[in-house]
């Protein structure tokens, strides 16, 4: 008897988990690039604008938008993607503002509060409670996130403003992920990302100009690395993964970012790590392994 062949959907999503992890590795270096752009004098919202604007040509090319018959959208789906782009613009504006006013690790952890909210959205739409392995993985991730920053995870007057804006960014990011999840049920990843990026670009430029920020950089290197690394590669792989993985897996995957950014902050800005940081990172890794294990089904008693 011939072995059953995997479905086209299963084949397409074969590398989704690997894509999720790689995407978060690239996204984790984004805050550093924002800091470097700020040191060059570019405003935080302006750097968010360039992150999107510089990525548009590549995203349109990869998406094939503009070719005859390349894209067919109904008004409702176009509205979902546009709304997602606006949520993403709000996320970047708040997050970039927070990045330059708190520690890199704080900004990344608070900015990824979606990692804990987005899974609950998944349970809500599935109308089910998490299984034992899922609940265990989520609990490990929560404990790991709490420990991850150790001595650098502090709410001080010096960092409070940045921390609060990063938390606000995390809420907007959750809404962005929900919109992307809806859009990915019907469309391929690159068209979704390209259209969402287009929707978010102009509002960021208007906001940067309204704040009186310096928009034009003296050194394009950090902004190019931010755009290609975070928007094209990081978000591109993330949007692909969102279409094939559950919100719980995506949410836990986002927690790899604070671990990497904490190390970057340590090496680049002497934001030192403690034992609690390493224990937290290990717990998050354990949660990622646990979430990939199949749930054990109850025996069939018939």
């Amino acid at each position: 008897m011939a072995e059953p062949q995997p479905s086209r959907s299963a084949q397409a999503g074969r590398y989704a988990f690997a894509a999720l992890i790689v995407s978060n590795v690239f996204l984790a270096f984004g805050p550093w690039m924002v800091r470097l752009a700020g040191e060059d004098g570019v405003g935080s919202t302006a750097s968010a604008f360039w992150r999107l604007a510089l990525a548009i040509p590549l995203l349109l090319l990869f998406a094939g938008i503009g070719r005859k018959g390349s894209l067919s959208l109904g008004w409702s789906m176009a509205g979902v993607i546009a709304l997602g782009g606006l949520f993403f613009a709000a996320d970047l504006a708040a997050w970039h503002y927070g990045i330059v006013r708190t520690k890199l690790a704080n900004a990344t952890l608070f900015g990824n509060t979606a990692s804990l909210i987005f899974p609950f959205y998944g349970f809500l739409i599935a109308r089910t409670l998490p299984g034992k392995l899922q609940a265990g993985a989520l609990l490990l991730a929560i404990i790991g996130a709490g420990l991850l920053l150790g001595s650098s995870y502090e709410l001080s007057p010096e960092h409070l403003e940045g921390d609060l804006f990063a938390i606000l960014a995390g809420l907007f990011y959750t809404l962005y992920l929900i919109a992307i999840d809806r859009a990915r049920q019907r469309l391929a990843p690159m068209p979704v990302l390209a259209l969402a990026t287009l929707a978010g670009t102009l509002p960021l430029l208007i906001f940067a100009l309204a704040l009186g920020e310096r928009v034009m950089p003296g050194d394009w290197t950090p902004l190019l690395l931010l755009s290609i690394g975070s928007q094209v590669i990081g978000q591109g792989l993330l949007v692909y993964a969102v279409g094939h993985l559950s919100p719980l897996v995506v949410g836990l995957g986002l927690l790899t970012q604070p671990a990497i950014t904490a190390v970057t902050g340590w090496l680049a800005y002497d934001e030192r790590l403690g034992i609690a940081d390493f224990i937290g990172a290990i717990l998050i890794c354990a949660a990622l392994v646990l979430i990939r294990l199949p749930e054990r089904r109850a025996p069939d008693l018939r």
Side-chain angles (χ1 to χ4, degrees):
M1 181 182 295
E3 290 290 330
Q5 296 297 315
S7 67
R8 182 174 299 180
S9 177
Q11 289 178 328
R14 182 183 304 171
Y15 305 108
F17 187 73
L20 175 66
I21 300 304
V22 174
S23 75
N24 281 283
V25 171
F26 276 91
L27 290 169
F29 289 101
W32 186 22
M33 296 303 105
V34 174
R35 280 271 188 95
L36 293 178
E39 291 169 9
D40 183 49
V42 177
S44 58
T45 307
S47 66
F49 160 72
W50 285 118
R51 167 177 168 165
L52 301 191
L54 294 173
I56 287 174
L58 281 175
L59 293 177
L60 291 177
L61 177 64
F62 294 151
I65 294 177
R67 300 174 190 167
K68 186 176 181 180
S70 62
L71 191 63
S72 178
L73 284 179
W75 285 106
S76 61
M77 184 54 63
V80 167
I81 297 174
L83 190 61
L86 294 177
F87 282 137
F88 190 50
D91 158 57
L92 289 181
W95 192 39
H96 283 205
Y97 184 88
I99 285 170
V100 297
R101 288 165 176 81
T102 188
K103 296 184 178 182
L104 288 185
N106 285 40
T108 307
L109 181 62
F110 288 131
N112 279 285
T113 51
S115 60
L116 303 179
I117 304 173
F118 193 51
F120 288 101
Y121 154 77
F123 297 139
L124 181 63
I125 62 172
R127 297 182 180 179
T128 184
L129 294 174
K132 291 181 180 179
L133 282 178
Q134 292 177 328
L138 188 58
L139 180 60
L140 281 179
I142 292 172
I143 296 172
L147 291 173
L148 179 62
L149 302 180
S151 59
S152 40
Y153 179 61
E154 56 186 17
L155 287 171
S156 66
E158 180 185 357
H159 302 132
L160 181 59
E161 183 183 13
D163 292 335
L164 292 176
F165 270 91
I167 291 171
L168 178 62
L171 297 177
F172 283 128
Y173 196 48
T174 304
L175 296 173
Y176 161 72
L177 288 175
I178 291 173
I180 292 300
D181 182 61
R182 293 283 302 277
R184 283 288 286 118
Q185 293 173 18
R186 288 182 48 192
L187 297 174
M190 278 303 172
V192 172
L193 180 58
L195 294 174
T197 300
L198 276 170
T201 302
L202 184 58
L204 283 171
L205 177 60
I206 294 172
F207 194 40
L209 293 174
L211 291 174
E213 292 185 356
R214 175 180 159 187
V215 175
M216 295 304 297
D219 181 5
W220 286 94
T221 304
L223 294 174
L224 284 169
L225 291 175
L226 175 66
S227 183
I228 295 173
S230 291
Q231 194 63 20
V232 177
I233 301 176
Q235 281 295 320
L237 291 173
L238 179 63
V239 171
Y240 159 73
V242 165
H244 298 284
L245 299 173
S246 71
L248 175 61
V249 176
V250 173
L252 295 184
L254 293 176
L255 286 174
T256 58
Q257 287 186 52
I260 298 169
T261 306
V263 174
T264 303
W266 184 13
L267 297 176
Y269 298 101
D270 199 30
E271 297 174 357
R272 296 189 176 275
L273 303 178
I275 295 177
D277 301 298
F278 293 104
I279 295 175
I282 291 171
L283 289 178
I284 289 172
C285 290
L288 290 171
V289 172
L290 192 61
I291 200 61
R292 300 299 293 166
L293 297 177
E295 288 278 2
R296 180 177 297 176
R297 297 181 179 178
D300 191 345
L301 301 178
R302 288 181 297 176

